[in-house]
Amino acid sequence: MDEAPEPIPVTRTVDCGTAKLLPDVDRPRAWLLTVDGAPQSYVDLDAPAHLEFEYVRRLAHVLDEAAEPGRPLDVLHLGGGALTLPRYLAATRPRSRQDVVEADRGLLALVTEQLPLPEDCGITVHAEDARTVLEAAPEDSADVIVADVFGGSRVPAQLTSVEYARVAARVLRPDGCYAANLADSAPFGFLRGQLANFATVFEHLALIAEPSVLRGRRFGNAVLLASRAPLPVAALARRTAGDAFPARVEHGTALRRLIADAVPVRDAEAVASPVPPDGAFSVG
């Protein structure tokens, strides 16, 4: 019996740069997606519950705690990448309804062609602008909004304002949760502004990040959570503490200290997230 051919890298020019799909030599149907050298997603088509990136596991913990195990969810994903989290949720919560919004049409075409979704997985992809889709979404229609939108290596300015936070609140159900992947470093000017935005709209906030990032020792990812209902802080703290790269869950007084005198950022003043330092998110 002939062996399956070795997977080979795929390189393609997409709307936001040069995308590459790189096979993992240790996992037969696993791929790393990069755009202009920055890692965007990792997917194992045979094991969609395998999550390689730490920040993706933290977002997955949020999905795990969003309802009792196995209950389907209605989720709006802003930012698609290689559709890692939608695949994860389809595997762990069958019959979930998921809409994925990705503005980079070339990237979306590459991913759906080379890494096809399973049939009847409940995932619908949209090649559209995230803010536009969010503003058009029905009120109280989502259990969770996951925002992982990067134009290159920065969160676009239109997704960093208090007006955007208000739109997200309108789309979420009363007990729904907003979860965003952000990136910053000390003195956290961008992150503090994002917390101030969502504190204006939501009663409950939390932040998940590695201690070295929270202490200002390096640039890194931080997952922002916001909800009108109490967040499962204790459960998330247990899950994130048990990861290979443990993280902390900050909330309450600690977050109020971090926000300090930061004020909400309106559309007119909104800016993209900071440019990562050289090498922060690159691969060889």
Side-chain angles (χ1 to χ4, degrees):
M1 184 174 177
D2 293 337
E3 292 186 4
E6 288 286 331
I8 60 173
V10 179
T11 301
R12 187 176 298 178
T13 300
V14 296
D15 301 4
C16 291
T18 300
K20 293 184 179 181
L21 283 171
L22 306 172
D24 186 338
V25 296
D26 296 319
R27 302 178 75 95
R29 297 184 71 220
W31 298 83
L32 173 68
L33 169 67
T34 70
V35 178
D36 290 341
Q40 299 288 323
S41 302
Y42 179 99
V43 169
D44 188 331
L45 298 179
D46 290 332
H50 174 78
L51 303 175
E52 192 78 9
F53 293 173
E54 290 83 11
Y55 85 85
V56 177
R57 288 200 294 273
R58 290 162 198 157
L59 288 168
H61 294 328
V62 175
L63 294 173
D64 291 340
E65 292 295 335
E68 59 272 17
R71 196 194 92 185
L73 296 174
D74 293 334
V75 180
L76 175 60
H77 299 265
L78 305 179
L83 310 176
T84 304
L85 272 178
R87 297 174 202 266
Y88 172 86
L89 193 68
T92 58
R93 294 183 181 272
R95 303 183 309 283
S96 291
R97 293 187 301 178
Q98 303 187 75
D99 287 283
V100 183
V101 183
E102 173 58 60
D104 191 322
R105 293 174 180 271
L107 180 63
L108 192 57
L110 171 66
V111 168
T112 54
E113 171 193 312
Q114 298 291 326
L115 310 176
L117 290 165
E119 291 187 10
D120 302 322
C121 62
I123 300 170
T124 304
V125 297
H126 308 267
E128 298 183 55
D129 173 76
R131 176 82 177 254
T132 301
V133 170
L134 188 65
E135 289 177 342
E139 185 175 353
D140 296 342
S141 60
D143 295 308
V144 183
I145 296 172
V146 178
D148 188 12
V149 185
F150 282 79
S153 57
R154 306 177 71 187
V155 179
Q158 62 174 340
L159 305 183
T160 68
S161 68
V162 68
E163 290 92 341
Y164 163 77
R166 291 193 182 107
V167 176
R170 181 189 64 78
V171 174
L172 282 170
R173 292 178 176 139
D175 60 348
C177 178
Y178 176 88
N181 175 38
L182 305 174
D184 201 2
S185 60
F188 301 115
F190 172 73
L191 188 57
R192 291 171 63 236
Q194 296 310 292
L195 289 165
N197 286 346
F198 283 87
T200 301
V201 184
F202 293 92
E203 183 179 353
H204 301 277
L205 298 181
L207 194 68
I208 307 173
E210 288 183 34
S212 60
V213 173
L214 292 170
R215 292 179 186 134
R217 293 178 180 171
R218 66 177 183 86
F219 189 96
N221 295 97
V223 172
L224 183 154
L225 306 180
S227 180
R228 286 167 288 192
L231 291 162
V233 171
L236 289 171
R238 287 192 297 271
R239 287 180 181 272
T240 57
D243 280 342
F245 293 90
R248 285 210 318 258
V249 181
E250 298 282 17
H251 62 102
T253 302
L255 277 195
R256 288 192 289 273
R257 283 199 301 264
L258 180 58
I259 296 171
D261 59 352
V263 297
V265 181
R266 300 190 64 83
D267 274 333
E269 295 84 36
V271 296
S273 62
V275 177
D278 288 344
F281 297 132
S282 64
V283 292

